[in-house]
Amino acid sequence: MIDSFFLLLDGFATALTWSNLLYCFIGVMLGMIIGVLPGLGPVSGTALLIPITFGMEPVSAIIMLSGIFYGSMYGGTITSVLVNVPGEAASVITCIDGYEMTKNGRAGAALGVAAIGSFIGGIVAVVALTFFGPILADVALNFGPPEFFAIMLLGMLMIVALMGKSLVRGMIAAVLGLVFAMIGQDLVSGEYRFTFGSLELMEGIDFAVMAMGLFGISEILLNAEKPTQIGNVPKVKGLLPRKGEWSPTLKSAGRGTGIGMILGMIPGANSIIASTFSYMLEKKVAKDPSRFGKGAIEGVAGPETANNAHSGAALIPLFSLGLPSSPTMAVILGAFIMHGLTPGPALFTKNPDFVWGLIASMFIGNALLLILNLPLVGMWAKIAMIPYKLLYPIILMVILIGTYSLKGSLWDVGMMLVFGIIGYLMKKLDIPMSAMIVTFILGSQLESSMLQSLSISTEGFLIFLTRPISAVILIIAFIVFALSIFSGVKNKRGKLAADVEM
Amino acid sequence: MNINVKQFNAGVWAGLVILAVAVIAFVISFQYSYSGIVGPGPGFFPFWLSLILMILAVLYIYESIKGKNVSDEEWPTGHSLKKIVFIIMALLLFLLLFVLCGYLVAGTVFLIVLFFKEYKWWQTVALSVGITMFIYVMFNNVLKVHIPANGILF
């Protein structure tokens, strides 16, 4: 515990250098913009910036990319509250009471409460990461390939179990991701697989290419059918809640933090589940539930806190186990690997400067966001007003050039467009893309951990069941899987259904 | 019960495409040795994954025929379909021009095509040239990521 504290102080020394402060600032600003703009989500946003980070030090690169991730959570709220259009899926719930508050002339208070709640949720989650992350990593240091195989399998199954209406389609997405991951050279045997004689496919498919296509291009195509109309943005006055509202606001922020943190650590339980859950809880504990839907301040504070706590907590399994719980996390994991870092238990011991610098930057980033958010609300609202007809060609162009700049290869650009169309079709068919990209990124690790396990095993596949930890994890995975089949048969999946980026 | 006929077909078609992919992958997987020196070889994963995918594709087709868990999304028709095809064509045009004439021409033409219907002609040209140049300078000079200004033709 106390070690973590001192290491964190060292981390601040890294994060507070001018260049890293600047990257953190750029990251959270871009995150806000991505959150505010329709048509550009966190996955394509982070993937787009990966080529830019090539020349940077790993710690600066990841500081910036994570800034985008948690920054977009703040940004998504602004349009939900002001114009009833969620900038990010996680802010859908905020529309309900947030927009009502705006109609009552209380937009300022709604935004203020959301910002404060987000800050509380974000900071508490980072504190949890500071103290809980190393402990989890310590435990995981004793894990061998069988345990990691089991954890990855559990993570994938959780994502499949929690996303989408149909279990079959979720499974299809997951398996397709694994199949795509096999294209190129096999790390274990060195054999080239599924290359169809193409030189370009020998290198495999770049995860950033896939992410930009699936989440960037498809989003633009979907928006082209039903363009989101953004009406006039109301004037924002006064950012603080009334005197009597402070205590209920802080209480709901507290509950939201708890919910967000717990769900954040569970792979597949996306931020929309966290904010929905929080909203339901607030409604339940309220003395007068009829206020909800008519501008209840708790209905903004709770969910907004929950989704930020969620995004912070989602970093805990990523850092300590190397397990991404959502597509955005998967892209950040890809960026780690690109910069020569392996997320996982060894990260805390092998690259302490990196980890603690990053964690410290998240404290700074959350503080920056709070400062940027409140006084600059007017400016963010103006950005939301940029007409979409002007915006989407620019976004497309940046995606095209961003993909090209990864390797300077037009093949990648073509591939990205193919994934764009695949993504669009998947969305229409309701096959969850999130499951596909997560399994794609974990694919080669899943395979190699399995092969390694079998090579150290004397009893074949039984090794996964004779080692206690992996056996327990696999049993949990099996139960999760069985339950999701059961819920599928009973037709009870409807409520969970959502393919969300974060 | 209200089954969307179009959706129903789409699910079946998608299932068939996935089934085809799975079968091809399954056939190819036999080229790689199933077992290696220490347990499974490079063919192990492809074999099982494509087998599982085949089963899932069949289940998906079955689900779609029964009209169970169908997607709520509607397929674009008329105007919105045209718009999507238009965007995809513009993207392909960009790719083609990029190869032939380099980024500056490709970018400008791409933006002109997309802006043309929405803005006056002089606004369209000014916006397209301006944005293309801005992105070029940003990537080449500020971010130091090289984008070729010329293509095969000139």
Side-chain angles (χ1 to χ4, degrees):
Chain A
M1 279 292 195
I2 210 76
D3 285 354
S4 295
F5 183 72
F6 284 113
L7 287 165
L8 182 64
L9 287 184
D10 281 342
F12 272 103
T14 314
L16 283 171
T17 58
W18 281 110
S19 63
N20 284 343
L21 261 181
L22 179 71
Y23 289 129
C24 181
F25 177 74
I26 296 175
V28 294
M29 280 296 261
L30 283 172
M32 285 286 281
I33 293 174
I34 286 169
V36 170
L37 292 180
L40 193 59
V43 175
S44 40
T46 29
L48 263 178
L49 287 189
I50 283 173
I52 298 173
T53 66
F54 280 159
M56 293 175 158
E57 274 180 57
V59 66
S60 314
I62 308 289
I63 282 179
M64 193 164 95
L65 293 174
S66 338
I68 296 174
F69 168 61
Y70 56 81
S72 62
M73 278 291 185
Y74 278 75
T77 316
I78 296 178
T79 46
S80 307
V81 169
L82 291 181
V83 286
N84 204 12
V85 174
E88 242 33 88
S91 305
V92 172
I93 298 291
T94 316
C95 286
I96 307 173
D97 278 289
Y99 187 58
E100 283 304 315
M101 285 181 74
T102 301
K103 282 206 264 178
N104 301 340
R106 304 199 60 211
L111 288 172
V113 162
I116 295 165
S118 299
F119 178 74
I120 297 173
I123 290 290
V124 175
V126 182
V127 171
L129 174 60
T130 309
F131 295 106
F132 192 58
I135 297 173
L136 193 60
D138 254 0
V139 175
L141 267 179
N142 304 318
F143 288 4
E147 283 77 22
F148 277 109
F149 174 78
I151 287 177
M152 280 188 268
L153 199 65
L154 174 65
M156 289 177 184
L157 281 175
M158 290 287 282
I159 291 172
V160 171
L162 287 173
M163 272 180 194
K165 230 185 343 186
S166 147
L167 182 65
V168 172
R169 290 200 292 261
M171 290 288 292
I172 284 180
V175 176
L176 275 178
L178 290 174
V179 171
F180 281 126
M182 283 185 308
I183 295 175
Q185 193 172 24
D186 170 28
L187 292 176
V188 180
S189 64
E191 187 149 0
Y192 289 100
R193 294 184 295 189
F194 299 108
T195 57
F196 301 97
S198 141
L199 211 61
E200 283 86 357
L201 280 180
M202 281 186 169
E203 286 179 39
I205 297 170
D206 195 309
F207 75 96
V209 168
M210 191 191 231
M212 280 192 264
L214 283 184
F215 292 90
I217 299 285
S218 75
E219 185 69 32
I220 301 274
L221 293 177
L222 288 166
N223 271 328
E225 307 177 3
K226 32 177 183 244
T228 27
Q229 293 294 339
I230 292 191
N232 277 332
V233 174
K235 261 252 175 291
V236 178
K237 294 183 296 244
L239 290 164
L240 296 175
R242 295 188 195 116
K243 250 203 181 128
E245 285 172 340
W246 275 103
S247 138
T249 301
L250 291 176
K251 274 185 197 149
S252 36
R255 287 187 288 264
T257 307
I259 290 173
M261 296 241 298
I262 294 168
L263 291 176
M265 283 187 266
I266 302 174
N270 55 47
S271 51
I272 230 183
I273 297 182
S275 50
T276 313
F277 224 80
S278 160
Y279 191 79
M280 290 182 335
L281 181 73
E282 290 310 318
K283 214 168 160 179
K284 204 152 250 171
V285 298
K287 285 197 192 93
D288 176 16
S290 67
R291 286 187 303 121
F292 282 79
K294 291 182 196 139
I297 202 159
E298 297 96 320
V300 177
E304 274 306 312
T305 312
N307 68 32
N308 276 67
H310 179 280
S311 60
L315 292 169
I316 297 175
L318 180 73
F319 282 15
S320 46
L321 301 173
L323 187 69
S325 54
S326 70
T328 318
M329 290 285 95
V331 171
I332 292 180
L333 172 66
F336 268 84
I337 296 169
M338 211 167 228
H339 280 278
L341 296 156
T342 340
L347 193 67
F348 279 92
T349 43
K350 255 203 245 158
N351 307 82
D353 294 352
F354 167 81
V355 180
W356 293 107
L358 179 55
I359 293 176
S361 87
M362 284 161 43
F363 281 102
I364 300 167
N366 271 294
L368 276 177
L369 281 166
L370 185 67
I371 300 166
L372 286 173
N373 218 319
L374 293 180
L376 294 179
V377 155
M379 187 192 95
W380 296 118
K382 283 220 178 68
I383 291 180
M385 291 281 284
I386 297 175
Y388 188 67
K389 60 180 181 180
L390 175 65
L391 204 58
Y392 88 87
I394 302 176
I395 295 177
L396 280 177
M397 179 108 111
V398 174
I399 293 178
L400 287 166
I401 295 303
T403 311
Y404 178 79
S405 62
L406 279 171
K407 277 196 251 125
S409 139
L410 275 172
W411 167 273
D412 279 352
V413 181
M415 201 68 179
M416 188 271 299
L417 292 179
V418 171
F419 275 112
I421 295 169
I422 294 180
Y424 173 80
L425 294 173
M426 285 174 81
K427 196 84 193 174
K428 285 288 164 189
L429 295 161
D430 194 18
I431 300 176
M433 292 185 272
S434 329
M436 181 156 129
I437 191 130
V438 171
T439 55
F440 173 74
I441 289 188
L442 287 178
S444 67
Q445 285 183 56
L446 184 78
E447 184 175 9
S448 55
S449 70
M450 180 175 178
L451 296 187
Q452 280 164 10
S453 311
L454 292 173
S455 68
I456 57 172
S457 161
T458 47
E459 64 253 305
F461 281 94
L462 276 177
I463 187 171
F464 295 111
L465 297 174
T466 50
R467 295 177 59 130
I469 298 174
S470 79
V472 170
I473 299 171
L474 282 178
I475 289 168
I476 297 174
F478 179 76
I479 293 171
V480 166
F481 190 57
L483 280 178
S484 53
I485 291 179
F486 180 74
S487 72
V489 173
K490 289 265 169 193
N491 263 330
K492 287 216 171 107
R493 295 177 62 82
K495 283 274 178 264
L496 292 173
D499 182 17
V500 184
E501 293 183 28
M502 305 181 88
Chain B
M1 221 172 86
N2 198 357
I3 296 173
N4 186 339
V5 178
K6 232 176 179 171
Q7 190 63 59
F8 161 91
N9 281 330
V12 176
W13 280 113
L16 287 172
V17 171
I18 295 165
L19 184 63
V21 170
V23 170
I24 294 170
F26 186 69
V27 172
I28 295 177
S29 76
F30 287 101
Q31 291 174 13
Y32 316 119
S33 48
Y34 182 80
S35 50
I37 320 152
V38 283
F44 181 83
F45 252 60
F47 173 82
W48 284 105
L49 284 179
S50 47
L51 189 66
I52 294 170
L53 193 59
M54 281 198 278
I55 298 167
L56 287 170
V58 172
L59 284 175
Y60 182 25
I61 295 169
Y62 172 77
E63 220 181 57
S64 307
I65 291 174
K66 293 274 276 193
K68 218 184 129 200
N69 298 329
V70 287
S71 162
D72 299 329
E73 297 276 344
E74 297 208 350
W75 291 86
T77 46
H79 183 67
S80 38
L81 181 65
K82 258 188 221 159
K83 211 165 165 188
I84 286 170
V85 173
F86 179 70
I87 293 177
I88 293 173
M89 297 309 266
L91 288 166
L92 293 177
L93 179 72
F94 175 86
L95 209 55
L96 183 73
L97 285 177
F98 194 103
V99 179
L100 295 178
C101 322
Y103 167 71
L104 291 178
V105 174
T108 312
V109 172
F110 175 72
L111 290 181
I112 288 178
V113 168
L114 291 181
F115 283 142
F116 190 67
K117 274 195 218 148
E118 311 284 352
Y119 292 94
K120 294 195 185 78
W121 69 267
W122 56 270
Q123 283 174 321
T124 302
V125 174
L127 277 173
S128 308
V129 173
I131 294 167
T132 308
M133 285 307 292
F134 178 75
I135 292 181
Y136 183 73
V137 172
M138 270 303 277
F139 272 86
N140 258 2
N141 301 18
V142 181
L143 303 170
K144 309 277 182 216
V145 180
H146 176 69
I147 314 176
N150 321 0
I152 298 172
L153 295 185
F154 55 86

